[in-house]
Short mmCIF file of all heavy atoms in Angstrom, two decimals:
data_model
loop_
_atom_site.label_atom_id
_atom_site.label_comp_id
_atom_site.label_asym_id
_atom_site.label_seq_id
_atom_site.Cartn_x
_atom_site.Cartn_y
_atom_site.Cartn_z
N ILE B 79 52.28 183.07 60.04
CA ILE B 79 53.26 182.40 59.29
C ILE B 79 52.84 180.96 59.23
O ILE B 79 52.77 180.34 60.29
CB ILE B 79 54.62 182.57 59.88
CG1 ILE B 79 54.88 184.07 60.15
CG2 ILE B 79 55.69 181.97 58.96
CD1 ILE B 79 56.25 184.26 60.80
N ARG B 80 52.63 180.47 58.03
CA ARG B 80 51.91 179.13 57.92
C ARG B 80 52.87 177.91 58.24
O ARG B 80 52.50 177.05 58.94
CB ARG B 80 51.45 178.96 56.51
CG ARG B 80 50.01 179.29 56.32
CD ARG B 80 49.54 178.97 54.85
NE ARG B 80 49.77 180.16 54.03
CZ ARG B 80 48.91 181.13 54.08
NH1 ARG B 80 47.82 181.13 54.83
NH2 ARG B 80 49.01 182.12 53.27
N SER B 81 54.01 178.08 57.74
CA SER B 81 54.95 176.91 58.03
C SER B 81 56.44 177.64 58.37
O SER B 81 57.15 178.00 57.33
CB SER B 81 55.16 175.90 56.79
OG SER B 81 56.04 174.95 57.01
N THR B 82 56.64 177.74 59.53
CA THR B 82 57.80 178.60 59.93
C THR B 82 59.11 177.87 59.61
O THR B 82 59.26 176.60 59.56
CB THR B 82 57.82 178.79 61.45
OG1 THR B 82 57.67 177.59 62.10
CG2 THR B 82 56.75 179.72 61.89
N LYS B 83 60.12 178.70 59.16
CA LYS B 83 61.54 178.32 58.95
C LYS B 83 62.36 178.93 59.92
O LYS B 83 62.11 179.86 60.58
CB LYS B 83 61.85 178.82 57.45
CG LYS B 83 60.93 178.24 56.39
CD LYS B 83 61.41 178.58 54.99
CE LYS B 83 61.28 180.06 54.62
NZ LYS B 83 59.76 180.26 54.28
N LEU B 84 63.61 178.33 60.06
CA LEU B 84 64.60 178.89 60.94
C LEU B 84 64.86 180.37 60.73
O LEU B 84 64.91 181.06 61.64
CB LEU B 84 65.90 178.11 60.78
CG LEU B 84 65.91 176.56 61.30
CD1 LEU B 84 67.20 175.91 61.01
CD2 LEU B 84 65.38 176.45 62.73
N GLU B 85 64.83 180.62 59.44
CA GLU B 85 65.25 182.16 59.10
C GLU B 85 64.15 183.15 59.38
O GLU B 85 64.23 184.29 59.27
CB GLU B 85 65.65 182.22 57.68
CG GLU B 85 64.70 181.69 56.70
CD GLU B 85 65.04 180.20 56.29
OE1 GLU B 85 65.49 179.35 57.13
OE2 GLU B 85 64.75 179.83 55.02
N ASP B 86 62.87 182.52 59.82
CA ASP B 86 61.83 183.43 60.33
C ASP B 86 62.15 183.98 61.67
O ASP B 86 61.34 184.80 62.10
CB ASP B 86 60.61 182.78 60.27
CG ASP B 86 60.03 182.29 58.78
OD1 ASP B 86 60.50 183.07 57.90
OD2 ASP B 86 59.45 181.42 58.61
N SER B 87 63.13 183.44 62.35
CA SER B 87 63.44 183.89 63.81
C SER B 87 63.81 185.40 63.67
O SER B 87 64.78 185.76 63.01
CB SER B 87 64.62 183.14 64.40
OG SER B 87 64.21 181.82 64.46
N ALA B 88 62.96 186.23 64.34
CA ALA B 88 63.22 187.60 64.28
C ALA B 88 62.33 188.31 65.33
O ALA B 88 61.47 187.71 65.97
CB ALA B 88 62.96 188.21 62.89
N MET B 89 62.45 189.64 65.54
CA MET B 89 61.58 190.50 66.25
C MET B 89 60.56 190.92 65.17
O MET B 89 61.04 191.41 64.07
CB MET B 89 62.28 191.61 66.91
CG MET B 89 62.89 191.39 68.10
SD MET B 89 61.80 190.89 69.53
CE MET B 89 61.24 192.61 69.89
N TYR B 90 59.28 190.83 65.45
CA TYR B 90 58.26 191.22 64.54
C TYR B 90 57.61 192.43 65.20
O TYR B 90 57.00 192.42 66.30
CB TYR B 90 57.23 190.09 64.27
CG TYR B 90 57.97 189.16 63.33
CD1 TYR B 90 58.73 188.08 63.88
CD2 TYR B 90 57.61 189.14 61.93
CE1 TYR B 90 59.28 187.19 63.11
CE2 TYR B 90 58.22 188.17 61.04
CZ TYR B 90 59.01 187.22 61.54
OH TYR B 90 59.67 186.31 60.72
N PHE B 91 57.58 193.50 64.52
CA PHE B 91 56.89 194.71 64.98
C PHE B 91 55.66 195.05 64.33
O PHE B 91 55.59 195.08 63.06
CB PHE B 91 57.87 195.87 64.94
CG PHE B 91 59.04 195.71 65.93
CD1 PHE B 91 60.28 195.44 65.23
CD2 PHE B 91 58.94 195.97 67.15
CE1 PHE B 91 61.40 195.49 66.11
CE2 PHE B 91 60.01 195.90 68.01
CZ PHE B 91 61.25 195.56 67.40
N CYS B 92 54.56 195.37 64.98
CA CYS B 92 53.39 195.96 64.42
C CYS B 92 53.42 197.47 64.51
O CYS B 92 54.01 197.92 65.52
CB CYS B 92 52.14 195.36 65.14
SG CYS B 92 50.61 195.99 64.69
N ALA B 93 52.87 198.18 63.60
CA ALA B 93 52.81 199.69 63.70
C ALA B 93 51.58 200.16 63.11
O ALA B 93 50.89 199.41 62.27
CB ALA B 93 54.05 200.33 62.91
N SER B 94 51.17 201.40 63.60
CA SER B 94 49.96 201.91 62.94
C SER B 94 50.06 203.44 62.89
O SER B 94 50.98 204.09 63.60
CB SER B 94 48.66 201.64 63.80
OG SER B 94 48.64 202.21 64.95
N ILE B 95 49.37 203.98 61.99
CA ILE B 95 49.35 205.46 61.89
C ILE B 95 47.75 205.88 61.59
O ILE B 95 47.04 205.14 61.01
CB ILE B 95 50.23 206.10 60.75
CG1 ILE B 95 49.96 205.46 59.40
CG2 ILE B 95 51.62 206.02 61.11
CD1 ILE B 95 50.76 206.23 58.25
N GLY B 96 47.52 207.10 62.06
CA GLY B 96 46.16 207.55 61.84
C GLY B 96 46.09 208.43 60.60
O GLY B 96 45.21 208.23 59.70
N ASP B 97 47.06 209.23 60.36
CA ASP B 97 47.03 210.27 59.21
C ASP B 97 48.30 210.10 58.52
O ASP B 97 49.36 210.43 59.09
CB ASP B 97 46.77 211.56 59.70
CG ASP B 97 46.66 212.55 58.55
OD1 ASP B 97 47.36 212.37 57.55
OD2 ASP B 97 45.85 213.51 58.64
N ARG B 98 48.24 209.45 57.34
CA ARG B 98 49.59 209.28 56.71
C ARG B 98 50.34 210.48 56.33
O ARG B 98 51.59 210.49 56.33
CB ARG B 98 49.30 208.55 55.38
CG ARG B 98 50.53 207.92 54.69
CD ARG B 98 50.28 207.42 53.37
NE ARG B 98 51.45 207.26 52.64
CZ ARG B 98 52.11 208.17 51.97
NH1 ARG B 98 51.46 209.30 51.81
NH2 ARG B 98 53.16 207.92 51.34
N VAL B 99 49.74 211.56 56.17
CA VAL B 99 50.40 212.85 55.86
C VAL B 99 50.98 213.50 57.13
O VAL B 99 52.14 213.87 57.11
CB VAL B 99 49.47 213.86 55.17
CG1 VAL B 99 50.12 215.18 54.97
CG2 VAL B 99 49.01 213.25 53.89
N LYS B 100 50.25 213.43 58.20
CA LYS B 100 50.58 214.19 59.30
C LYS B 100 51.41 213.40 60.43
O LYS B 100 52.12 214.16 61.05
CB LYS B 100 49.37 214.82 60.04
CG LYS B 100 48.63 216.00 59.09
CD LYS B 100 47.48 216.39 59.83
CE LYS B 100 46.61 217.37 59.00
NZ LYS B 100 45.34 217.78 59.62
N SER B 101 51.13 212.25 60.45
CA SER B 101 51.67 211.59 61.72
C SER B 101 52.71 210.47 61.37
O SER B 101 52.75 209.87 60.29
CB SER B 101 50.60 210.85 62.47
OG SER B 101 49.86 209.96 61.64
#
Side-chain angles (χ1 to χ4, degrees):
Chain B
I79 309 174
R80 262 181 272 281
S81 178
T82 50
K83 302 187 283 284
L84 294 176
E85 54 265 36
D86 293 329
S87 296
M89 283 288 287
Y90 288 81
F91 294 106
C92 175
S94 68
I95 56 173
D97 181 327
R98 192 186 163 274
V99 175
K100 294 179 185 174
S101 60

